[in-house]
Amino acid sequence: MKDFINKLYKNHSLIYKGLLFIATTFLIVYLFPKGGKFKYDFEKGKPWQSENLYAPFDFAIIKMDAEIASEKDELVKKSILYFNLDNTIEAKVKASYKNQFNNVFSDSISRGAYRKLYNAGEVIISNLYLFGILSENYNFPDEKAIVILDGRVKKQDGFFSNLIKPDAVSKVIDNVLNKYELMHYKTEFTSLFFDLIEPNLTFNKSFTDKVLQEEIGKIAYARGSIEKETLIVSKGEVIDGEKYQVLKSLQSEYESQVWNESNYIWVLFAYTLLVALALLMLLLFLRKYRMRVFENNTKVTFIFFNVSLVIFITTLVVNYDSKYIYVVPICILPLVFKAFFDARLGLFAHVLTVLLIGFIVPNSYEYMFLQIIAGIVTILTVSELYKRANLFISVGQITLIYIIAYFAFFVIHEGSVKTIKWETFMWFILSGLATLFVQPLIYAYEKLFGLVSDVSLLELSDTNSKLLKELSDKAPGTFHHSLNVANLAEASANEIGANAMLVRVGALYHDIGKMENPTYFTENQSTGINPHDELSSRESARIITDHVINGIEIARKNNLPDRVIDFIRTHHGTSIVYYFYMQEKKDFKEVDKLDFSYPGPKPFSKETAILMMCDSIEAASKSLKDPTSTKIDAFVESIINKQIEEGQFLNANITFKEIESIKKVLKYKLANIYHLRIEYPE
């Protein structure tokens, strides 16, 4: 049991990666659409590339969206409006009219005129309530069919033009009075009916909508059918509108039949295999080419988290409305990976992520082509992300590539630009603007995952920072030495394409451990007194080598990132404090080199190797007497060749060609530093 627990402990990092791999795989599969994939790819207006296709089973031809939309519009146009009738209003108005008529018209009117006026009023009421008076001015077409409901019973039907609107009552009164030649009584009748007339019809919107929805629900979504073994399309035949619709119907039916209870597990298993294969390629890439990233569980988690996050966001957008798919800023992914790792890893992870998203999005080939090209452009154009202008320029280039590629695809599919969807270009612009969110996102990731980007390195390179000011105060000679090393290292990194910002920051902080005992280092001895004179060679060597350990402790207290601490740990590698070692050998024949060696480790990257070379060259160059070009060349060759012989660069991915380039830069820089000027006359 104890051995088993020990094995688990020794392999806990691999076990964690395995669990992370499994969890990410199942999460992505869960996000995938629950449907099979049609095995043929086809496009409207393009020839059928596969063999002759026969119907594998009976299926219905699904109507096109435009057809269904047209049928729905037709039903809406022909839909009936339903109005509720209050059957008490007309009788109430007639009774009130009988009572109020005598109050308006005096007894002095002749009996014949009185009767004529009374009959005209009755005709007005009859005309107004023949169909009814609306409670408000509804805005419907006059030709719209209507049904008047008395309770739940249909009383009569007609057209909307038959109904009297509230603002049309006076017009009905005028028509009747004009017919009876009683227009000179208009004022009296208007005054009379103004108080009497009440609307008796109200629009029953809920019932109208319910009937309309029932009619829409009766729409058939299929027209005709295809029998099994019927030839659908021949090889080389152009896929026109009708054949395209038949193929889309077959695709839909096929995918719905594939994803059923009997083979649900098999389709799920197949998806899992494909996702697992893609994620496995990502892990193998890290193990083969980015071992330091692979060994860091936090960084592996960060990579898998970002891949899953992009797929998750894309799935949400597709489920909401697939036309917004290009709004998702996929290019943030390579930007983030390039900021924290390198371009090669960023592009590799981006391509794998786009391949996985291809299972989710419509027109997957077009989508993958656009996103992969955009990812390549992102990697090629975005450099020095901490410079704000670079990000804006790169986002503009990415957006332009999207627009050009989409335009080309549309012309290929449709054969013209007349029906191009200009709104899609707006989605690309929005995607470009969303890509600018990468700056705050990188900051958030730095805090969440403890990673370091070039933006943070730029902040750390400020010599007015608290820690560097403390170094300047306590050990001014060391601070000046660090500045010189930083300049040499930055120039060397630029020469071989290494991370110049990282190596500069590493150089500025590599000797902060000397603040513990600054006077024990010659660059800080301004009084001419050397405290090493009072110590044994072993004690002196221990103080010198301890500045590495002290530097690491100070760096951790000040929350410097691990990428910077790596420079403190490795800038002397496992080299020997040669001066005190030789002093000890004068007194003792048997001397253990380990007592005079730095703890290491050796440099394990181009940047840390560059710092070791530049640190040794800058420190030793102070001992050069009467420097000449020949002396400087021999001096640089001697120091770096000695480091190579000691195997200090065996763990760093740096080539001999790059080392020679660095030598060339260092020789040039030292020649400028020690350039002798002419003597000016006094």
Side-chain angles (χ1 to χ4, degrees):
M1 185 65 181
K2 188 177 180 180
D3 291 340
F4 177 72
I5 293 173
N6 287 336
K7 284 184 179 178
L8 285 179
Y9 180 76
K10 288 180 180 178
N11 297 299
H12 73 279
S13 181
L14 285 175
I15 293 170
Y16 174 81
K17 291 181 183 69
L19 293 174
L20 178 66
F21 171 79
I22 293 168
T24 307
T25 300
F26 282 114
L27 173 63
I28 293 173
V29 171
Y30 175 78
L31 295 173
F32 275 3
K34 303 300 183 286
K37 295 289 287 185
F38 194 47
K39 61 182 178 180
Y40 299 103
D41 289 322
F42 58 91
E43 296 177 19
K44 188 177 180 181
K46 306 290 284 186
W48 179 255
Q49 300 295 336
S50 305
E51 68 279 0
N52 293 352
L53 179 62
Y54 296 87
F57 41 73
D58 297 341
F59 66 93
I61 303 173
I62 300 172
K63 292 179 182 177
M64 297 178 70
D65 291 341
E67 289 181 71
I68 296 171
S70 176
E71 290 184 26
K72 286 182 179 179
D73 289 342
E74 192 64 27
L75 284 176
V76 171
K77 287 180 183 177
K78 294 181 178 179
S79 64
I80 298 172
L81 303 175
Y82 289 86
F83 293 86
N84 291 332
L85 172 69
D86 186 344
N87 53 21
T88 64
I89 297 294
E90 185 176 0
K92 178 182 173 183
V93 170
K94 284 182 177 179
S96 298
Y97 171 70
K98 191 173 183 180
N99 295 329
Q100 295 294 326
F101 184 81
N102 292 328
N103 296 332
V104 175
F105 296 97
S106 63
D107 296 339
S108 61
I109 301 174
S110 67
R111 187 174 181 83
Y114 181 91
R115 192 67 196 166
K116 187 176 181 182
L117 287 170
Y118 187 84
N119 290 339
E122 287 188 323
V123 171
I124 289 172
I125 293 172
S126 296
N127 286 354
L128 288 173
Y129 290 102
L130 178 63
F131 281 88
I133 302 173
L134 293 168
S135 59
E136 58 182 278
N137 291 315
Y138 297 103
N139 188 25
F140 294 114
D142 288 342
E143 65 275 10
K144 198 79 166 162
I146 60 146
V147 168
I148 297 173
L149 299 174
D150 187 358
R152 291 175 175 264
V153 180
K154 173 182 174 182
K155 183 171 183 183
Q156 66 185 96
D157 54 20
F159 298 98
F160 185 70
S161 58
N162 299 134
L163 306 182
I164 306 299
K165 296 180 181 179
D167 58 3
V169 171
S170 60
K171 185 178 180 182
V172 174
I173 295 172
D174 290 350
N175 289 339
V176 174
L177 293 177
N178 190 47
K179 181 180 178 182
Y180 280 83
E181 298 179 349
L182 298 171
M183 284 299 292
H184 50 286
Y185 288 102
K186 178 180 177 180
T187 303
E188 289 85 349
F189 271 102
T190 302
S191 175
L192 172 63
F193 285 114
F194 181 80
D195 296 325
L196 291 180
I197 298 302
E198 293 182 34
N200 64 339
L201 294 178
T202 54
F203 178 50
N204 192 335
K205 186 176 187 306
S206 61
F207 190 73
T208 300
D209 291 342
K210 182 181 177 183
V211 173
L212 176 60
Q213 291 305 317
E214 287 177 356
E215 291 299 316
I216 290 175
K218 295 176 184 177
I219 293 176
Y221 284 81
R223 50 174 176 79
S225 61
I226 302 293
E227 295 183 359
K228 185 178 180 180
E229 301 299 332
T230 302
L231 177 64
I232 296 175
V233 62
S234 303
K235 184 174 183 179
E237 188 176 354
V238 175
I239 303 171
D240 55 17
E242 181 64 25
K243 291 208 177 293
Y244 179 77
Q245 196 56 32
V246 172
L247 286 168
K248 292 295 288 184
S249 303
L250 175 60
Q251 180 182 18
S252 177
E253 187 68 24
Y254 177 84
E255 291 177 353
S256 64
Q257 285 193 18
V258 165
W259 199 264
N260 54 43
E261 284 188 27
S262 62
N263 50 23
Y264 177 90
I265 300 300
W266 281 109
V267 176
L268 198 66
F269 176 70
Y271 270 136
T272 305
L273 280 180
L274 292 174
V275 174
L277 190 62
L279 294 179
L280 181 62
M281 294 303 104
L282 183 54
L283 278 177
L284 290 176
F285 173 86
L286 295 177
R287 191 174 184 279
K288 175 83 172 172
Y289 298 106
R290 300 292 181 272
M291 180 56 77
R292 288 188 62 208
V293 176
F294 180 80
E295 290 173 348
N296 189 317
N297 284 342
T298 301
K299 292 179 179 179
V300 175
T301 304
F302 174 74
I303 293 169
F304 276 60
F305 169 78
N306 276 278
V307 171
S308 303
L309 181 64
V310 169
I311 295 173
F312 173 70
I313 294 173
T314 306
T315 305
L316 288 181
V317 173
V318 170
N319 290 339
Y320 176 72
D321 193 337
S322 60
K323 75 177 184 179
Y324 299 121
I325 188 63
Y326 288 111
V327 177
V328 181
I330 302 291
C331 287
I332 279 184
L333 190 68
L335 274 176
V336 168
F337 286 162
K338 186 177 180 182
F340 289 118
F341 306 112
D342 60 82
R344 189 175 178 187
L345 172 56
L347 182 59
F348 191 87
H350 174 74
V351 170
L352 284 180
T353 305
V354 171
L355 291 176
L356 290 173
I357 293 175
F359 288 108
I360 303 170
V361 298
N363 300 322
S364 56
Y365 175 77
E366 174 184 325
Y367 178 86
M368 289 190 293
F369 183 91
L370 283 174
Q371 296 295 0
I372 290 173
I373 290 295
I376 293 171
V377 171
T378 302
I379 293 296
L380 293 177
T381 59
V382 178
S383 59
E384 298 178 323
L385 196 59
Y386 56 87
K387 294 181 180 178
R388 289 169 295 179
N390 287 1
L391 181 60
F392 281 95
I393 294 169
S394 297
V395 165
Q397 292 171 331
I398 293 165
T399 305
L400 181 62
I401 290 296
Y402 271 134
I403 292 172
I404 293 172
Y406 173 77
F407 177 82
F409 267 110
F410 189 89
V411 172
I412 290 171
H413 291 164
E414 302 296 328
S416 86
V417 296
K418 293 180 180 178
T419 58
I420 195 166
K421 298 176 182 177
W422 297 105
E423 64 177 18
T424 307
F425 294 152
M426 181 58 66
W427 307 145
F428 291 135
I429 294 171
L430 289 175
S431 175
L433 294 175
T435 305
L436 296 174
F437 183 69
V438 71
Q439 286 283 20
L441 185 65
I442 286 173
Y443 178 79
Y445 279 152
E446 286 179 335
K447 300 305 178 186
L448 287 172
F449 291 92
L451 300 172
V452 184
S453 69
D454 283 351
V455 180
S456 293
L457 292 175
L458 181 63
E459 294 173 358
L460 289 170
S461 67
D462 182 8
T463 54
N464 289 315
S465 65
K466 180 183 175 183
L467 189 55
L468 290 180
K469 271 193 170 183
E470 186 180 354
L471 176 64
S472 176
D473 293 337
K474 290 184 177 180
T478 299
F479 177 71
H480 185 260
H481 158 74
S482 298
L483 286 176
N484 289 338
V485 173
N487 292 332
L488 292 174
E490 185 176 17
S492 301
N494 285 325
E495 181 68 20
I496 66 169
N499 190 331
M501 179 62 69
L502 176 62
V503 77
R504 179 174 183 81
V505 173
L508 289 173
Y509 290 91
H510 79 284
D511 269 346
I512 57 175
K514 291 182 179 180
M515 286 192 294
E516 292 291 317
N517 298 293
T519 57
Y520 284 87
F521 300 89
T522 55
E523 66 266 25
N524 300 311
Q525 295 170 0
S526 58
T527 61
I529 299 172
N530 190 344
H532 287 289
D533 295 339
E534 307 296 326
L535 302 174
S536 68
S537 298
R538 285 178 183 274
E539 289 174 323
S540 295
R542 182 178 57 77
I543 292 173
I544 297 297
T545 56
D546 278 354
H547 87 272
V548 172
I549 304 299
N550 293 335
I552 294 171
E553 290 176 358
I554 293 170
R556 295 204 185 282
K557 285 179 184 177
N558 286 271
N559 297 316
L560 290 185
D562 288 338
R563 289 177 79 185
V564 177
I565 295 175
D566 286 342
F567 288 91
I568 301 173
R569 294 165 57 214
T570 61
H571 73 277
H572 285 294
T574 57
S575 60
I576 298 171
V577 185
Y578 195 72
Y579 176 82
F580 292 111
Y581 172 68
M582 295 306 295
Q583 288 290 104
E584 186 75 2
K585 283 193 76 174
K586 290 179 182 178
D587 300 327
F588 303 95
K589 291 184 179 179
E590 297 294 330
V591 180
D592 188 353
K593 281 188 177 182
L594 291 177
D595 294 335
F596 294 84
S597 299
Y598 285 95
K602 295 176 181 179
F604 43 73
S605 67
K606 287 182 182 179
E607 288 77 16
T608 51
I610 288 170
L611 179 61
M612 174 181 261
M613 293 183 230
C614 295
D615 181 42
S616 301
I617 293 294
E618 204 285 331
S621 67
K622 297 293 188 289
S623 63
L624 275 175
K625 294 178 181 178
D626 301 324
T628 63
S629 177
T630 305
K631 279 186 179 181
I632 288 173
D633 289 356
F635 167 76
V636 171
E637 291 286 346
S638 172
I639 289 179
I640 294 180
N641 288 342
K642 184 179 179 183
Q643 290 173 337
I644 294 172
E645 289 170 8
E646 291 176 354
Q648 296 296 338
F649 307 134
L650 289 177
N651 298 331
N653 58 334
I654 191 165
T655 65
F656 282 114
K657 182 179 179 181
E658 288 170 336
I659 292 174
E660 290 300 319
S661 298
I662 293 168
K663 287 180 182 178
K664 181 180 175 183
V665 170
L666 294 175
K667 291 172 185 177
Y668 175 75
K669 289 288 183 182
L670 287 180
N672 285 334
I673 291 170
Y674 290 105
H675 179 67
L676 297 177
R677 299 179 183 271
I678 60 170
E679 289 189 17
Y680 291 94
E682 293 184 5

